[in-house]
Amino acid sequence: MMSQDVQLVMLGSGRPDLEEVLRRMEYQYRDKARGWVGFSVRTAHRITAGADVLLMPSRFEPCGLNQLYAMMYGTVPVVHAVGGLTDSCFGKLEYKESWEGLQRRGMTQDLSWDNAAENYEEVLVAAKYQW
C-alpha cells in the first residue's frame, strides 16, 4: 500500500507489537505515514475529519461510533461487515464519480437517537404483531 500515492495516519494503543509496527512504519515512510501511540478523543476527531477514508477492520463491533463520526465529517468509512458496522454503513463504490455521492449520503443521514428509537420501536411493533 505504501508504494501507492497515499498518506496513512494511525492512532491507537494496546498491543505492544502493533505499537512497534506503527513506530517502524512512521520511521520507514516519513513522507507518507504518521502514527500516534496512545489515544486522544480530540486528536481522533481531527484525524477523522481530515481524512478521505476511515479504515475499520474490526473483527467484532457491536456498534461503534467512529464510522458515524466519519460519515458526519464526510469521511467514507470502509468497514468489515460485522455487527453494528454493517447496520450503520451501506453503499458500494462502483465508479470513481460516485465518491462524492458516498460522502454526501453519509453526511445527510439522520444518525440521531430519536431516529434510532423510532426505527427500534417500529421493529418491536412489527415483531409483536407477527406472533
Side-chain angles (χ1 to χ4, degrees), residues 9-31:
V9 179
M10 296 177 286
L11 169 75
S13 64
R15 287 181 37 194
D17 59 324
L18 294 178
E19 291 175 4
E20 184 56 32
V21 169
L22 181 62
R23 289 183 183 100
R24 275 188 276 136
M25 278 188 69
E26 186 175 42
Y27 179 78
Q28 185 175 353
Y29 302 102
R30 291 173 187 234
D31 61 334

PDB file of all heavy atoms in Angstrom, residues 9-31:
ATOM      1  N   VAL A   9      -2.468   7.771   8.361  1.00  0.00           N
ATOM      2  CA  VAL A   9      -2.397   8.282   9.726  1.00  0.00           C
ATOM      3  C   VAL A   9      -3.096   7.267  10.620  1.00  0.00           C
ATOM      4  O   VAL A   9      -4.225   6.858  10.341  1.00  0.00           O
ATOM      5  CB  VAL A   9      -3.108   9.652   9.859  1.00  0.00           C
ATOM      6  CG1 VAL A   9      -3.032  10.147  11.289  1.00  0.00           C
ATOM      7  CG2 VAL A   9      -2.510  10.655   8.900  1.00  0.00           C
ATOM      8  N   MET A  10      -2.406   6.846  11.681  1.00  0.00           N
ATOM      9  CA  MET A  10      -2.973   5.849  12.586  1.00  0.00           C
ATOM     10  C   MET A  10      -2.896   6.357  14.015  1.00  0.00           C
ATOM     11  O   MET A  10      -1.962   7.053  14.395  1.00  0.00           O
ATOM     12  CB  MET A  10      -2.215   4.534  12.455  1.00  0.00           C
ATOM     13  CG  MET A  10      -2.362   3.908  11.087  1.00  0.00           C
ATOM     14  SD  MET A  10      -1.394   2.402  10.902  1.00  0.00           S
ATOM     15  CE  MET A  10       0.264   3.057  10.759  1.00  0.00           C
ATOM     16  N   LEU A  11      -3.891   5.969  14.794  1.00  0.00           N
ATOM     17  CA  LEU A  11      -3.989   6.367  16.193  1.00  0.00           C
ATOM     18  C   LEU A  11      -4.442   5.164  16.983  1.00  0.00           C
ATOM     19  O   LEU A  11      -5.380   4.473  16.584  1.00  0.00           O
ATOM     20  CB  LEU A  11      -5.033   7.487  16.327  1.00  0.00           C
ATOM     21  CG  LEU A  11      -5.481   7.875  17.725  1.00  0.00           C
ATOM     22  CD1 LEU A  11      -4.392   8.678  18.412  1.00  0.00           C
ATOM     23  CD2 LEU A  11      -6.755   8.687  17.646  1.00  0.00           C
ATOM     24  N   GLY A  12      -3.789   4.882  18.078  1.00  0.00           N
ATOM     25  CA  GLY A  12      -4.252   3.783  18.913  1.00  0.00           C
ATOM     26  C   GLY A  12      -3.162   3.261  19.827  1.00  0.00           C
ATOM     27  O   GLY A  12      -2.007   3.659  19.762  1.00  0.00           O
ATOM     28  N   SER A  13      -3.587   2.356  20.680  1.00  0.00           N
ATOM     29  CA  SER A  13      -2.661   1.711  21.600  1.00  0.00           C
ATOM     30  C   SER A  13      -3.250   0.364  21.979  1.00  0.00           C
ATOM     31  O   SER A  13      -4.405   0.077  21.692  1.00  0.00           O
ATOM     32  CB  SER A  13      -2.445   2.573  22.842  1.00  0.00           C
ATOM     33  OG  SER A  13      -3.656   2.701  23.552  1.00  0.00           O
ATOM     34  N   GLY A  14      -2.438  -0.433  22.601  1.00  0.00           N
ATOM     35  CA  GLY A  14      -2.918  -1.750  23.024  1.00  0.00           C
ATOM     36  C   GLY A  14      -1.809  -2.765  22.966  1.00  0.00           C
ATOM     37  O   GLY A  14      -1.022  -2.893  23.896  1.00  0.00           O
ATOM     38  N   ARG A  15      -1.699  -3.445  21.840  1.00  0.00           N
ATOM     39  CA  ARG A  15      -0.689  -4.485  21.704  1.00  0.00           C
ATOM     40  C   ARG A  15       0.672  -3.860  21.429  1.00  0.00           C
ATOM     41  O   ARG A  15       0.847  -3.148  20.442  1.00  0.00           O
ATOM     42  CB  ARG A  15      -1.065  -5.427  20.575  1.00  0.00           C
ATOM     43  CG  ARG A  15      -2.217  -6.338  20.927  1.00  0.00           C
ATOM     44  CD  ARG A  15      -2.594  -7.299  19.828  1.00  0.00           C
ATOM     45  NE  ARG A  15      -1.471  -7.814  19.069  1.00  0.00           N
ATOM     46  CZ  ARG A  15      -1.616  -8.449  17.901  1.00  0.00           C
ATOM     47  NH1 ARG A  15      -2.816  -8.618  17.392  1.00  0.00           N
ATOM     48  NH2 ARG A  15      -0.573  -8.888  17.261  1.00  0.00           N
ATOM     49  N   PRO A  16       1.639  -4.138  22.289  1.00  0.00           N
ATOM     50  CA  PRO A  16       2.983  -3.564  22.099  1.00  0.00           C
ATOM     51  C   PRO A  16       3.603  -3.893  20.744  1.00  0.00           C
ATOM     52  O   PRO A  16       4.290  -3.052  20.156  1.00  0.00           O
ATOM     53  CB  PRO A  16       3.801  -4.168  23.240  1.00  0.00           C
ATOM     54  CG  PRO A  16       2.786  -4.498  24.287  1.00  0.00           C
ATOM     55  CD  PRO A  16       1.542  -4.891  23.539  1.00  0.00           C
ATOM     56  N   ASP A  17       3.352  -5.083  20.201  1.00  0.00           N
ATOM     57  CA  ASP A  17       3.943  -5.439  18.907  1.00  0.00           C
ATOM     58  C   ASP A  17       3.377  -4.560  17.794  1.00  0.00           C
ATOM     59  O   ASP A  17       4.103  -4.137  16.897  1.00  0.00           O
ATOM     60  CB  ASP A  17       3.734  -6.920  18.592  1.00  0.00           C
ATOM     61  CG  ASP A  17       2.267  -7.335  18.547  1.00  0.00           C
ATOM     62  OD1 ASP A  17       1.452  -6.813  19.329  1.00  0.00           O
ATOM     63  OD2 ASP A  17       1.934  -8.209  17.720  1.00  0.00           O
ATOM     64  N   LEU A  18       2.083  -4.237  17.854  1.00  0.00           N
ATOM     65  CA  LEU A  18       1.491  -3.378  16.836  1.00  0.00           C
ATOM     66  C   LEU A  18       1.914  -1.919  17.026  1.00  0.00           C
ATOM     67  O   LEU A  18       2.053  -1.182  16.048  1.00  0.00           O
ATOM     68  CB  LEU A  18      -0.031  -3.498  16.844  1.00  0.00           C
ATOM     69  CG  LEU A  18      -0.565  -4.867  16.436  1.00  0.00           C
ATOM     70  CD1 LEU A  18      -2.086  -4.890  16.514  1.00  0.00           C
ATOM     71  CD2 LEU A  18      -0.089  -5.256  15.052  1.00  0.00           C
ATOM     72  N   GLU A  19       2.105  -1.521  18.267  1.00  0.00           N
ATOM     73  CA  GLU A  19       2.618  -0.173  18.525  1.00  0.00           C
ATOM     74  C   GLU A  19       4.002  -0.022  17.898  1.00  0.00           C
ATOM     75  O   GLU A  19       4.321   1.017  17.310  1.00  0.00           O
ATOM     76  CB  GLU A  19       2.679   0.103  20.024  1.00  0.00           C
ATOM     77  CG  GLU A  19       1.314   0.224  20.671  1.00  0.00           C
ATOM     78  CD  GLU A  19       1.388   0.384  22.179  1.00  0.00           C
ATOM     79  OE1 GLU A  19       2.508   0.470  22.734  1.00  0.00           O
ATOM     80  OE2 GLU A  19       0.318   0.430  22.809  1.00  0.00           O
ATOM     81  N   GLU A  20       4.816  -1.072  17.998  1.00  0.00           N
ATOM     82  CA  GLU A  20       6.155  -1.037  17.405  1.00  0.00           C
ATOM     83  C   GLU A  20       6.079  -0.999  15.883  1.00  0.00           C
ATOM     84  O   GLU A  20       6.852  -0.298  15.230  1.00  0.00           O
ATOM     85  CB  GLU A  20       6.979  -2.243  17.868  1.00  0.00           C
ATOM     86  CG  GLU A  20       8.409  -2.233  17.387  1.00  0.00           C
ATOM     87  CD  GLU A  20       9.180  -0.974  17.779  1.00  0.00           C
ATOM     88  OE1 GLU A  20       8.925  -0.385  18.846  1.00  0.00           O
ATOM     89  OE2 GLU A  20      10.064  -0.572  16.992  1.00  0.00           O
ATOM     90  N   VAL A  21       5.152  -1.731  15.296  1.00  0.00           N
ATOM     91  CA  VAL A  21       4.950  -1.683  13.840  1.00  0.00           C
ATOM     92  C   VAL A  21       4.603  -0.259  13.423  1.00  0.00           C
ATOM     93  O   VAL A  21       5.116   0.253  12.420  1.00  0.00           O
ATOM     94  CB  VAL A  21       3.840  -2.663  13.401  1.00  0.00           C
ATOM     95  CG1 VAL A  21       3.435  -2.423  11.954  1.00  0.00           C
ATOM     96  CG2 VAL A  21       4.308  -4.107  13.591  1.00  0.00           C
ATOM     97  N   LEU A  22       3.752   0.389  14.182  1.00  0.00           N
ATOM     98  CA  LEU A  22       3.365   1.766  13.901  1.00  0.00           C
ATOM     99  C   LEU A  22       4.586   2.687  13.922  1.00  0.00           C
ATOM    100  O   LEU A  22       4.784   3.497  13.011  1.00  0.00           O
ATOM    101  CB  LEU A  22       2.337   2.218  14.940  1.00  0.00           C
ATOM    102  CG  LEU A  22       1.774   3.614  14.846  1.00  0.00           C
ATOM    103  CD1 LEU A  22       1.018   3.803  13.545  1.00  0.00           C
ATOM    104  CD2 LEU A  22       0.843   3.864  16.022  1.00  0.00           C
ATOM    105  N   ARG A  23       5.424   2.534  14.923  1.00  0.00           N
ATOM    106  CA  ARG A  23       6.627   3.360  15.019  1.00  0.00           C
ATOM    107  C   ARG A  23       7.586   3.105  13.851  1.00  0.00           C
ATOM    108  O   ARG A  23       8.167   4.029  13.295  1.00  0.00           O
ATOM    109  CB  ARG A  23       7.329   3.104  16.346  1.00  0.00           C
ATOM    110  CG  ARG A  23       6.594   3.667  17.544  1.00  0.00           C
ATOM    111  CD  ARG A  23       7.386   3.444  18.840  1.00  0.00           C
ATOM    112  NE  ARG A  23       6.657   3.913  19.993  1.00  0.00           N
ATOM    113  CZ  ARG A  23       5.960   3.119  20.814  1.00  0.00           C
ATOM    114  NH1 ARG A  23       5.923   1.809  20.622  1.00  0.00           N
ATOM    115  NH2 ARG A  23       5.320   3.619  21.849  1.00  0.00           N
ATOM    116  N   ARG A  24       7.733   1.825  13.486  1.00  0.00           N
ATOM    117  CA  ARG A  24       8.629   1.488  12.376  1.00  0.00           C
ATOM    118  C   ARG A  24       8.106   2.027  11.054  1.00  0.00           C
ATOM    119  O   ARG A  24       8.886   2.524  10.232  1.00  0.00           O
ATOM    120  CB  ARG A  24       8.839  -0.023  12.287  1.00  0.00           C
ATOM    121  CG  ARG A  24       9.947  -0.497  13.218  1.00  0.00           C
ATOM    122  CD  ARG A  24      10.287  -1.945  13.009  1.00  0.00           C
ATOM    123  NE  ARG A  24       9.331  -2.743  13.782  1.00  0.00           N
ATOM    124  CZ  ARG A  24       8.709  -3.831  13.362  1.00  0.00           C
ATOM    125  NH1 ARG A  24       8.946  -4.304  12.169  1.00  0.00           N
ATOM    126  NH2 ARG A  24       7.865  -4.472  14.123  1.00  0.00           N
ATOM    127  N   MET A  25       6.786   1.934  10.835  1.00  0.00           N
ATOM    128  CA  MET A  25       6.209   2.468   9.598  1.00  0.00           C
ATOM    129  C   MET A  25       6.449   3.962   9.496  1.00  0.00           C
ATOM    130  O   MET A  25       6.793   4.480   8.437  1.00  0.00           O
ATOM    131  CB  MET A  25       4.707   2.190   9.535  1.00  0.00           C
ATOM    132  CG  MET A  25       4.363   0.807   9.066  1.00  0.00           C
ATOM    133  SD  MET A  25       2.603   0.626   8.791  1.00  0.00           S
ATOM    134  CE  MET A  25       2.391   1.660   7.361  1.00  0.00           C
ATOM    135  N   GLU A  26       6.267   4.658  10.607  1.00  0.00           N
ATOM    136  CA  GLU A  26       6.472   6.098  10.601  1.00  0.00           C
ATOM    137  C   GLU A  26       7.930   6.433  10.276  1.00  0.00           C
ATOM    138  O   GLU A  26       8.213   7.362   9.522  1.00  0.00           O
ATOM    139  CB  GLU A  26       6.066   6.696  11.946  1.00  0.00           C
ATOM    140  CG  GLU A  26       6.116   8.199  11.947  1.00  0.00           C
ATOM    141  CD  GLU A  26       5.606   8.793  13.242  1.00  0.00           C
ATOM    142  OE1 GLU A  26       5.925   8.266  14.322  1.00  0.00           O
ATOM    143  OE2 GLU A  26       4.882   9.792  13.155  1.00  0.00           O
ATOM    144  N   TYR A  27       8.861   5.662  10.819  1.00  0.00           N
ATOM    145  CA  TYR A  27      10.281   5.887  10.556  1.00  0.00           C
ATOM    146  C   TYR A  27      10.631   5.559   9.102  1.00  0.00           C
ATOM    147  O   TYR A  27      11.330   6.310   8.430  1.00  0.00           O
ATOM    148  CB  TYR A  27      11.132   5.047  11.508  1.00  0.00           C
ATOM    149  CG  TYR A  27      12.611   5.223  11.279  1.00  0.00           C
ATOM    150  CD1 TYR A  27      13.264   6.359  11.751  1.00  0.00           C
ATOM    151  CD2 TYR A  27      13.346   4.275  10.575  1.00  0.00           C
ATOM    152  CE1 TYR A  27      14.620   6.545  11.522  1.00  0.00           C
ATOM    153  CE2 TYR A  27      14.697   4.449  10.336  1.00  0.00           C
ATOM    154  CZ  TYR A  27      15.324   5.586  10.813  1.00  0.00           C
ATOM    155  OH  TYR A  27      16.672   5.755  10.580  1.00  0.00           O
ATOM    156  N   GLN A  28      10.114   4.435   8.601  1.00  0.00           N
ATOM    157  CA  GLN A  28      10.447   3.976   7.248  1.00  0.00           C
ATOM    158  C   GLN A  28       9.797   4.836   6.165  1.00  0.00           C
ATOM    159  O   GLN A  28      10.393   5.059   5.116  1.00  0.00           O
ATOM    160  CB  GLN A  28      10.003   2.523   7.072  1.00  0.00           C
ATOM    161  CG  GLN A  28      10.420   1.926   5.753  1.00  0.00           C
ATOM    162  CD  GLN A  28      10.065   0.452   5.658  1.00  0.00           C
ATOM    163  OE1 GLN A  28       9.626  -0.162   6.622  1.00  0.00           O
ATOM    164  NE2 GLN A  28      10.253  -0.120   4.488  1.00  0.00           N
ATOM    165  N   TYR A  29       8.576   5.307   6.404  1.00  0.00           N
ATOM    166  CA  TYR A  29       7.834   6.077   5.404  1.00  0.00           C
ATOM    167  C   TYR A  29       7.539   7.480   5.931  1.00  0.00           C
ATOM    168  O   TYR A  29       6.397   7.887   6.048  1.00  0.00           O
ATOM    169  CB  TYR A  29       6.515   5.365   5.055  1.00  0.00           C
ATOM    170  CG  TYR A  29       6.713   3.972   4.543  1.00  0.00           C
ATOM    171  CD1 TYR A  29       6.486   2.881   5.356  1.00  0.00           C
ATOM    172  CD2 TYR A  29       7.138   3.746   3.231  1.00  0.00           C
ATOM    173  CE1 TYR A  29       6.662   1.587   4.891  1.00  0.00           C
ATOM    174  CE2 TYR A  29       7.321   2.463   2.752  1.00  0.00           C
ATOM    175  CZ  TYR A  29       7.076   1.385   3.595  1.00  0.00           C
ATOM    176  OH  TYR A  29       7.257   0.112   3.124  1.00  0.00           O
ATOM    177  N   ARG A  30       8.590   8.214   6.223  1.00  0.00           N
ATOM    178  CA  ARG A  30       8.439   9.532   6.860  1.00  0.00           C
ATOM    179  C   ARG A  30       7.532  10.485   6.099  1.00  0.00           C
ATOM    180  O   ARG A  30       6.844  11.293   6.698  1.00  0.00           O
ATOM    181  CB  ARG A  30       9.805  10.185   7.047  1.00  0.00           C
ATOM    182  CG  ARG A  30      10.643   9.483   8.062  1.00  0.00           C
ATOM    183  CD  ARG A  30      12.041  10.059   8.103  1.00  0.00           C
ATOM    184  NE  ARG A  30      12.850   9.231   8.971  1.00  0.00           N
ATOM    185  CZ  ARG A  30      13.530   9.697   9.990  1.00  0.00           C
ATOM    186  NH1 ARG A  30      13.513  10.979  10.259  1.00  0.00           N
ATOM    187  NH2 ARG A  30      14.243   8.890  10.731  1.00  0.00           N
ATOM    188  N   ASP A  31       7.515  10.396   4.786  1.00  0.00           N
ATOM    189  CA  ASP A  31       6.701  11.314   3.992  1.00  0.00           C
ATOM    190  C   ASP A  31       5.272  10.801   3.767  1.00  0.00           C
ATOM    191  O   ASP A  31       4.442  11.506   3.211  1.00  0.00           O
ATOM    192  CB  ASP A  31       7.357  11.586   2.638  1.00  0.00           C
ATOM    193  CG  ASP A  31       7.526  10.323   1.799  1.00  0.00           C
ATOM    194  OD1 ASP A  31       7.609   9.216   2.381  1.00  0.00           O
ATOM    195  OD2 ASP A  31       7.574  10.437   0.568  1.00  0.00           O
TER     196      ASP A  31
END
